[in-house]
Amino acid sequence: MTDPQEPAPPGKTSAPEEPVSGRAASRSRRARALLPDLTPWRHSRDFRLMWLAGVVTNFGSFLTFVALPVQLKDLTGSAAAVGAVGAVELVPLVVFGLYGGALADAVDRKLLITATEAAQGLLAAVLLADTLLPHPMVWPLYVVAALSSALTGLQRPALDAIVQRIVPRDQLAAAAALNGLRWQVGAIAGPSVAGLVIAWAGTGWAYGLDTATFAFSVACGLMLRPSPASHDAPRPSLRSIAEGARYAWSRKELLGTYAIDLAAMFFAYPAAVFPFLADEIGAPWSLGFMYAAGSVGSLVVGVTSGWTSRVRRHGRMVVLAAAGWGIAMALAGWAGSVWSVLLFLGVAGGCDMVSGIGRATMWNQIVPEGLRGRLAGIELLSYSLGPQLGQVRSGGVAAVTDARVSVWSGGLACTAAVGLLAAGLPALLAYTAADPAGPSARPGAPDPAERAGTG
């Protein structure tokens, strides 16, 4: 070994020792590389407005998400009555999700987003008014739940479709990570605050705060720049919806993202059995932590998501993350201590966040502008139906076995299904992001496949 103080042997050069200040700067750069990429926030005024509106309105919506079943329980004392909320929400979400996708391609997306946001605020006000009655009624809770689900179906495709217009192509992964982070903040803070508000002040205050958050988000929506439909956009119809479905079927890498997400949620979304799992491991006090653990894991990924902007193989990213979700769920079912269960649920949530970033990036890179709304409607079904059906699967398996078996068997089935889908759809694993400096790198630029007419 050469002494660092001696001259280097002939023909060799000795690398100068990095100064302490240089090493500190290098560590600082590596640390910053893990932080979320804020480029979309800094460069796009409309993205900032939508992000701020989303943080506030998601927080308020989670207040109502907790308050409504609590009020139903207080009014009826029936678990079946509370569970029926999911049933009345499902059909409107499916029907209006598909129609909302076609509508997002045919009208100004800014107007559609703002109008549905204002309507959601009115529904929150209806819940507040019902709560203030001397004898609150039950039926308005179901009507509001169904109408709110329909409005979500109308709005969400436009929210997803507008991102590609306001964020350059090379910033889509960063935008997806920031949007996921926005949702996780609401998913953690909203229920936590809701529990305190309801316990100390009642459900009326939760509904009132939710109404106020919608007022803020509508104000932000009105400040967005117009986002009109193209002059040749088709009118919303079954034919236009079918056109979007045919495009999705023709792009196997896109089809793979839908199928992977459906499989992961159907087999390994065990939230319905968490109350039973908490009892089986002798820790009923941990139920709330079980519901929050996944969101905490997602939040950790969100605040360290800078690396996702440098990923190019997004198809492989989706497959590996979905398989990781299944493995983590299986480990949660096998775990013996409550802290191990919570750890693996958190890991699962982190994997889900990674998968979501990959899927959102692929959708925004692949789908042509003229079909973006309709494909967002199909996407809405892929990530909404999976958890609903997963609740049924996990509850059914737990009913004939137990909660642990339901959780670990679903995780293993998820991992196997992801492997089979990846093998059957090689285009998904092979997908690589296009050169961000190419002609489609500008926000709103047409997709090269769309210009070529190849779909």
Side-chain angles (χ1 to χ4, degrees):
M1 177 182 291
T2 303
D3 189 320
Q5 300 302 320
E6 295 179 357
K12 295 184 179 180
T13 58
S14 58
E17 183 178 355
E18 186 181 15
V20 174
S21 59
R23 292 198 296 270
S26 178
R27 287 195 296 270
S28 177
R29 285 193 297 271
R30 288 195 294 269
R32 287 197 300 270
L34 287 175
L35 296 176
D37 184 351
L38 300 180
T39 305
W41 171 276
R42 291 194 299 265
H43 291 181
S44 173
R45 169 185 173 273
D46 282 356
F47 183 82
R48 286 195 301 273
L49 286 171
M50 290 184 61
W51 198 91
L52 288 171
V55 167
V56 173
T57 197
N58 282 346
F59 172 79
S61 296
F62 273 104
L63 294 176
T64 294
F65 176 78
V66 175
L68 192 145
V70 168
Q71 187 179 14
L72 264 176
K73 178 181 72 68
D74 292 342
L75 292 176
T76 67
S78 168
V82 176
V85 173
V88 303
E89 290 174 337
L90 183 58
V91 173
L93 184 65
V94 172
V95 174
F96 287 93
L98 290 172
Y99 182 73
L103 197 63
D105 285 334
V107 301
D108 189 308
R109 290 169 186 165
K110 167 195 170 178
L111 294 179
L112 179 57
I113 291 168
T114 307
T116 50
E117 198 76 352
Q120 291 277 29
L122 290 176
L123 291 180
V126 168
L127 291 175
L128 173 60
D130 180 61
T131 302
L132 296 177
L133 292 174
H135 301 286
M137 296 176 288
V138 171
W139 65 265
L141 305 184
Y142 291 109
V143 172
V144 167
L147 291 176
S148 179
S149 183
L151 288 170
T152 298
L154 289 174
Q155 183 193 70
R156 186 57 188 264
L159 279 173
D160 291 342
I162 203 173
V163 173
Q164 191 266 353
R165 287 187 176 180
I166 63 177
V167 174
R169 184 182 180 90
D170 61 328
Q171 298 174 18
L172 289 174
L178 290 173
N179 283 335
L181 179 61
R182 174 195 69 188
W183 192 91
Q184 295 303 334
V185 169
I188 295 172
S192 302
V193 174
L196 296 175
V197 169
I198 294 169
W200 288 97
T203 56
W205 277 91
Y207 296 143
L209 289 172
D210 190 17
T211 304
T213 64
F214 280 115
F216 176 84
S217 60
V218 168
C220 289
L222 292 174
M223 289 189 285
L224 291 174
R225 294 182 179 87
S227 183
S230 61
H231 68 280
D232 57 348
R235 297 181 60 184
S237 64
L238 291 176
R239 174 178 291 182
S240 66
I241 293 173
E243 181 183 2
R246 285 195 297 271
Y247 179 84
W249 183 261
S250 72
R251 297 298 299 259
K252 301 308 180 187
E253 68 273 52
L254 194 64
L255 188 65
T257 66
Y258 298 143
I260 290 283
D261 192 36
L262 273 170
M265 294 297 106
F266 173 73
F267 288 114
Y269 188 77
V273 302
F274 282 168
F276 305 96
L277 180 62
D279 288 342
E280 286 185 18
I281 61 178
W285 55 267
S286 68
L287 177 59
F289 293 111
M290 287 186 182
Y291 282 115
S295 294
V296 172
S298 295
L299 182 63
V300 170
V301 171
V303 299
T304 59
S305 60
W307 60 273
T308 62
S309 296
R310 298 183 293 276
V311 173
R312 311 292 294 162
R313 303 294 295 272
H314 294 106
R316 185 172 296 179
M317 176 182 181
V318 170
V319 170
L320 293 177
W325 160 272
I327 293 170
M329 281 298 180
L331 292 173
W334 283 323
S337 73
V338 62
W339 300 112
S340 297
V341 171
L342 295 175
L343 172 64
F344 291 126
L345 290 177
V347 172
C351 291
D352 186 46
M353 180 70 165
V354 172
S355 175
I357 293 171
R359 295 195 311 271
T361 304
M362 287 181 63
W363 293 333
N364 281 315
Q365 289 177 344
I366 294 172
V367 180
E369 167 60 29
L371 292 170
R372 193 165 295 277
R374 280 163 284 178
L375 269 294
I378 296 174
E379 169 204 338
L380 174 67
L381 299 186
S382 78
Y383 63 68
S384 298
L385 292 181
Q388 297 276 4
L389 297 174
Q391 300 265 38
V392 176
R393 186 216 64 84
S394 62
V397 174
V400 297
T401 57
D402 59 43
R404 282 180 174 275
V405 172
S406 176
V407 175
W408 68 253
S409 64
L412 292 181
C414 164
T415 306
V418 168
L420 290 173
L421 288 169
L425 294 166
L428 176 62
L429 277 177
Y431 179 81
T432 302
D435 180 6
S440 59
R442 301 178 306 278
D447 186 280
E450 184 182 22
R451 291 198 305 273
T454 62

